[in-house]
């Protein structure tokens, strides 16, 4: 019997194709054909979770008190660990009983925040390119997206002056993310001061994604939105343990900031899930309390890979700025070649997986994101395959 009459909700048809899912299909097909893939496409850390975190999880698993439903708002001890971490890192004072909420990863929270606060037809400001959850969440909620096109000549920073007053007056929320996925751009403290002033003027809720705060190099220290006076009155900030602590599969994140906004998200989540398994929250506490020597090791790992790959790409004609944070390089496609075509061609010719920039919005066209999630010997293999396939950056390059 045909089920053609069972159709998905309109909110699904409003979503653009999810390029990462398409990449997974192509990767599976390539593996079936025997290709040795070098996957630099996902933001999936390649190292193990720190042993103290694993040990804490094992101990917590053996405690029957952790086997029931956890509190909707997360355990008190994990919330305290979150707010203590913010105090140490940024000098930001937060109330663990209302200004911090554990999440099933930051992606879940970013998307559900839109469902909690965006009505059909509400206008949401989102940079382009940006992390897909920043625009897909509002689209699922029925919101209208005003894309702020980012430009390399402005170092991929939001140009607040480019937003018409008529748009700003209608806007309800502004999502943004520095250090940035996918561009790896960083923002000075003055930018955060400007965006708080802008949001207060136009009564816009700021949603800042600070997932890469700890993956910073060369003495750079990312700014937390909540460091800026008045920001907590109009904003929230998301973080995750996925990247810094190699806990991507554990699905642990959190949001901090305005207690009323957080309460709205909590209310939604009480109708959708029961929160993070308490044993994982116990392990996450351990992660947030790890000594800085671990953080320095992670930073050194990505910094070494960054330098190695930038130098290797330079020999193939690319000039890629030395990033100050994140685990990505934002690499221009050869002239005249689109992001999707270039990424697919690279995959087919070399078995190297990169992510087309248009997966992050129209503003990402003409670039690919390369993740620093392989050791330098594998990065060398990738560069060698590029060389053998004559994939390089030059005006006369032709990608077959």
């Amino acid at each position: 019997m045909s089920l053609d009459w069972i159709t998905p909700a309109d909110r699904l048809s409003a979503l653009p194709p999810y390029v990462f899912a398409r990449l997974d299909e192509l990767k599976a097909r390539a593996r079936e054909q025997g290709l040795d893939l070098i996957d630099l496409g996902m933001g999936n850390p390649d190292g193990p979770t720190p042993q103290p975190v694993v040990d804490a999880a094992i101990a917590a698993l053996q405690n029957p008190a952790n086997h029931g439903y956890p509190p909707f708002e997360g355990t008190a001890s994990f919330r305290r660990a979150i707010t203590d971490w913010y105090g140490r890192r940024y000098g930001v004072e937060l109330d663990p009983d209302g200004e911090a909420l554990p999440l099933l990863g930051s992606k879940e929270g970013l998307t559900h925040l839109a469902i909690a606060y965006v009505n059909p037809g509400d206008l949401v400001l989102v940079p382009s390119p940006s992390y897909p959850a920043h625009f897909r969440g509002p689209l699922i909620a029925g919101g209208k997206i005003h894309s702020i096109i980012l430009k390399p000549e402005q170092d991929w920073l939001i140009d607040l002056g480019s937003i018409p007053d008529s748009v700003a007056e209608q806007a309800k929320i502004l999502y943004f993310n520095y250090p940035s996925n996918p561009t790896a751009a960083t923002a000075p403290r003055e930018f955060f001061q400007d965006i708080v002033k802008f949001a207060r003027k136009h009564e816009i809720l700021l949603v800042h994604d600070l997932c890469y705060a700890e993956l910073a190099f060369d003495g750079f220290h990312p700014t937390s939105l909540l460091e800026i006076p008045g920001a907590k009155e109009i904003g929230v900030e998301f973080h995750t343990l996925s990247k810094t602590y190699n806990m991507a599969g554990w699905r642990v994140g959190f949001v901090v900031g305005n207690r009323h906004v957080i309460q709205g998200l909590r209310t939604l989540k009480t109708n959708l899930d029961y929160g993070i398994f308490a044993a994982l929250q116990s392990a996450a506490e351990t992660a947030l309390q790890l000594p800085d020597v671990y953080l320095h090791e992670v930073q050194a790992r990505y910094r070494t890979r960054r330098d190695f790959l930038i130098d290797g790409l330079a020999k193939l004609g690319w000039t890629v700025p030395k990033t100050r944070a994140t685990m990505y390089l934002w690499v221009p496609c050869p002239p005249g070649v689109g992001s999707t075509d270039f990424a697919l061609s690279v995959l087919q010719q070399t078995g190297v997986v990169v992510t087309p920039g248009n997966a992050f919005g129209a503003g990402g066209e003409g670039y690919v994101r390369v993740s620093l999630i392989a050791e330098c010997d594998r990065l060398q293999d990738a560069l060698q395959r590029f060389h053998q396939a004559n994939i390089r950056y030059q005006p006369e390059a032709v990608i077959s």
Side-chain angles (χ1 to χ4, degrees):
M1 178 180 176
S2 172
L3 295 181
D4 293 343
W5 48 275
I6 301 179
T7 57
D10 291 343
R11 66 178 63 90
L12 290 187
S13 61
L15 293 172
Y18 200 62
V19 175
F20 293 106
R22 174 65 173 149
L23 276 177
D24 280 347
E25 295 173 9
L26 294 171
K27 287 188 291 186
R29 189 176 307 164
R31 289 191 179 97
E32 290 171 0
Q33 296 170 353
L35 271 179
D36 173 29
L37 292 187
I38 301 176
D39 192 347
L40 308 179
M42 296 291 286
N44 189 13
D46 59 310
T49 302
Q51 192 59 45
V53 178
V54 176
D55 291 342
I58 292 171
L61 278 170
Q62 293 173 338
N63 182 356
N66 289 323
H67 295 175
Y69 292 122
F72 280 112
E73 64 277 0
T75 63
S77 55
F78 183 36
R79 284 185 278 110
R80 172 62 69 182
I82 291 168
T83 57
D84 287 349
W85 182 86
Y86 256 85
R88 293 195 308 273
R89 287 281 184 254
Y90 301 108
V92 173
E93 184 176 342
L94 294 164
D95 178 5
D97 292 327
E99 295 179 339
L101 179 68
L103 303 167
L104 297 164
S106 61
K107 179 180 180 181
E108 173 261 306
L110 287 161
T111 302
H112 281 153
L113 183 85
I115 295 173
Y117 280 93
V118 176
N119 290 313
D122 281 347
L123 187 64
V124 180
L125 303 177
V126 184
S128 182
S130 66
Y131 178 53
H134 297 170
F135 56 86
R136 288 176 176 271
L139 284 174
I140 290 171
K144 295 179 181 178
I145 303 297
H146 177 85
S147 296
I148 308 167
I149 302 299
L150 307 182
K151 300 177 180 179
E153 56 267 27
Q154 294 171 327
D155 298 324
W156 304 101
L157 286 176
I158 296 171
D159 179 4
L160 296 171
S162 71
I163 304 171
D165 284 344
S166 59
V167 171
E169 288 301 321
Q170 295 180 59
K172 187 171 187 178
I173 299 176
L174 193 165
Y175 279 79
F176 69 114
N177 166 225
Y178 293 107
S180 166
N181 174 19
T183 66
T186 55
R189 185 181 183 88
E190 293 74 18
F191 170 83
F192 286 87
Q193 293 170 337
D194 289 343
I195 206 167
V196 168
K197 182 179 179 180
F198 173 85
R200 291 177 69 89
K201 175 183 177 182
H202 296 289
E203 297 183 342
I204 297 171
L205 170 63
L206 291 179
V207 178
H208 185 228
D209 181 353
L210 191 61
C211 288
Y212 298 91
E214 307 238 287
L215 300 186
F217 321 118
D218 307 329
F220 176 68
H221 298 284
T223 299
S224 163
L225 171 67
L226 301 182
E227 291 182 74
I228 308 304
K232 195 165 64 172
E233 298 172 14
I234 56 163
V236 291
E237 190 161 68
F238 287 78
H239 198 71
T240 179
L241 279 68
S242 294
K243 315 301 182 182
T244 308
Y245 303 105
N246 290 338
M247 294 175 68
W250 297 58
R251 309 314 304 138
V252 181
F254 54 85
V255 60
V256 294
N258 185 281
R259 67 173 62 246
H260 302 293
V261 176
I262 288 176
Q263 180 58 41
L265 178 55
R266 178 189 179 277
T267 298
L268 176 72
K269 283 174 59 61
T270 59
N271 290 278
L272 295 174
D273 65 65
Y274 279 99
I276 307 167
F277 180 29
L280 299 188
Q281 294 188 59
S282 179
E285 291 175 44
T286 299
L288 292 178
Q289 294 163 358
L290 285 172
D292 283 351
V293 64
Y294 170 76
L295 172 60
H296 298 157
E297 291 171 358
V298 172
Q299 292 170 335
R301 182 186 313 141
Y302 286 116
R303 182 176 62 245
T304 298
R305 295 174 182 181
R306 174 202 67 179
D307 294 345
F308 182 86
L309 194 53
I310 287 176
D311 290 345
L313 289 171
K315 295 173 184 176
L316 295 171
W318 271 279
T319 300
V320 179
K322 185 166 285 191
T323 57
R324 296 197 294 172
T326 80
M327 53 195 292
Y328 308 115
L329 296 183
W330 189 234
V331 179
C333 301
V337 183
S339 299
T340 300
D341 288 344
F342 182 57
L344 293 179
S345 177
V346 167
L347 174 60
Q348 292 163 357
Q349 293 189 66
T350 69
V352 177
V353 182
V354 296
T355 305
N358 56 17
F360 305 97
E365 182 54 67
Y367 287 79
V368 292
R369 190 192 71 178
V370 182
S371 300
L372 303 172
I373 54 172
E375 297 289 0
C376 289
D377 57 346
R378 288 295 274 172
L379 296 179
Q380 180 59 49
D381 289 343
L383 292 166
Q384 183 62 30
R385 293 183 192 185
F386 273 47
H387 176 75
Q388 291 172 347
N390 196 33
I391 295 174
R392 56 185 64 244
Y393 188 85
Q394 55 188 18
E396 64 274 18
V398 177
I399 306 299
S400 58

